[in-house]
Amino acid sequence: MIRLNDITSQILSYHPKANIDLVEKAYVYSAKAHQGQIRLSGEPYLSHPLEVAYILTKMKMDVTCIAAGFLHDTLEDTEAEADEIKHLFGEETANLVEGVTKISRMQFTSRQQRQAENVRKMILAMSSDIRVILVKLADRLHNMRTLGFQTPEKQRLIAAETEDIYAPLAGRMGIQWIKSSLEDLCLYYLEPKIYEDIKNEIAQTRDKREEFIKNVIELVSKKLEEFKIQATIKGRDKHFYSIYKKMLDQDLTVNQVYDVLAFRVIVSGIKECYEVLGHIHSMWKPVQGRFKDYVSVPKANMYQSLHTTVIGPMGQRMEMQIRTWDMDKVAEDGIAAHWKYKEGTTENKTDEKQFMWLRQLLEWQQNLKDPAEFLETVRMDLFPDEVYVFTPRGDVKAFPRGATPVDFAYSIHSEVGEKCMGARINRRMVPLRYQLRNGQTVEIITSPKQHPSKDWLEFVKTPRAKTKIRQWIRNQERGESIALGKNLLEKALERDRLKLTNIMKNEQILSIAKEFSFHSVEDLIAQIGFGKISPRQVIGRLKPKLGIKDERPPGLVGKMVGRFKRRKGDLGIKVKGVSDMLIRFANCCHPLPGEPVIGFITRGRGVTVHQRNCSHILNADPERLVEVSWQASKEDIYLAKIRVTSVERKGVLSDISAVLTQKDANIIEAQVKTTVDRKGIALFTIEVEDYNQLQNIMGAIKRVKNVLIVERL
Ligand code: MN
């Protein structure tokens, strides 16, 4: 078991002035908190925080981070409180511990590739301080090393999560040694058979290969000495997981993977790297297509090396990596190689390059102008543009920052989006506008009565939600137009005693739609609803196609509308020398067809038609009078008012009504009153076709018994 002393002496070896007190205090606190707890291995629980802290010293972390390593399980597994840790160890340490606890509490279950990437990003996004991830990686490494004490199911579950999430995260951080350690442990638990095969294969040939390695190192050393190049040469087996990957990628068995040997030549400068490459290629034949120059074109995580594969002395493939000491450090320790202490940092010029590397590594979007911003930036948001949340099933979804439950709902299904009325987040109801935050579990609440609204467009962030909401609104408006269009068309058809349902079944309506250049009848009706086309325009074209003659139906409403609302030639009046004139009939004298008439040009309201002897006209400006004439058409119906004076007698009114019915005149209104001198006075408003009909009717009424006077009003 690691002892505290091992840890403190490690720290002092790379940072002599470190504040060891903090580490010791954390150790004591952790020992107390975990007192009596036992690991599955049977060891006291304290062994775990000790190992984690020790792994962190291997990454050359600062004392804050190592203290956090000691404390990382206290919030989760003991009585310890965050406030207490903050009080005893400071805010920075407390934040690290809380960050690790937050990640540890999450359950990542999905094994899909895309999911894994989202989970990795979520962990990065939730770690406001990079050191949170480093502590978590150290924690996971020790847990993987002691995984044998877990049940087989747990072993597979944890190994899978490590393979999908933590090993790639270590790679992303550039910490090669943690990445390969994790990967080999994963292989051991996930593919035990293959792991055994690789191990046996390598063990069987171990002696031979060790001799071979010695041989190659000697040959290269000799060559480089000739040219006075100082170099350190290392030979090693590749790690098991990378052999396994090679088997998978190239569909090989273990003994078909030849280049299990990798050599590393480490020199002092870049110039020497290329010189060594030349010498190695002069000694052994390089394999085509295997040379990679990561020195002039570094990888995204700033990894630098020359890679080549050559056919070695025994006809065996050997991978060669050539790099400088600096490059080697970056390759092994990654982000840890760049770790700087707040206290007593001496900046040098290569730092700037290192910050660049860090920026790329973490996909930073903010510019780092000043190297002094380094520590600040370490603690800032790693993915400022994205937010990662859980579905109730435990999948992780990525959204633009500021996304709302509506965005989330639409990402599940557009129907869920349309019916979304709110969300439950960590068991609490939140409104639609609520902005999602990292690590939350979002459960959408829907209602069949809910539907999207234009307001939603103001707060949704995903293009998908925006598009779907707009689409819905457009469809909705169209739906309304269609309903209105149907209504208008139906009313207009009534005048011709036509039924909309019958018309809709008729093929002719489609041909009319096409005449108006629409693709469908629905489009035509929507346009009627929008008011772009009038129902009469449609009916006007429809009737000839259906073989219907233009007859005025007797319905009262139709007549009234016809009398007062229609314009121009429709009224059966022609204005001399003018077409397309707005016409209405004067309310003072109600002229009838056939009656002598004259037009009066109003200011802005077209021509008013009066009886020629109307008193208003006699006093009017002669310049504004215009000749008008009746047209032959008899289709229109006009209103006329007449007054009938009679001797008061029972039955006189019914006699007059009988005459009117007999003469085919509709009575619109009738008023009857009796005068003091016992005369009956009846006022009728009747519908007539023209002046002649009215004359005829009036003559007939006059002949009714006891009728004294019939006059037009
Ligand atoms: Mn732990």
Side-chain angles (χ1 to χ4, degrees), residues 45 48 72-73 139 143:
Y45 196 92
H48 173 64
H72 81 271
D73 276 333
D139 174 49
N143 283 338

Side-chain angles (χ1 to χ4, degrees), residues 588-590 611 640-643 683-684 698 711-713:
C588 47
C589 56
H590 294 290
Q611 288 182 30
K641 279 188 176 177
I642 52 176
R643 180 161 63 190
L683 290 168
F684 294 99
M698 286 169 75
E711 48 194 344
R712 174 137 180 249
L713 298 175

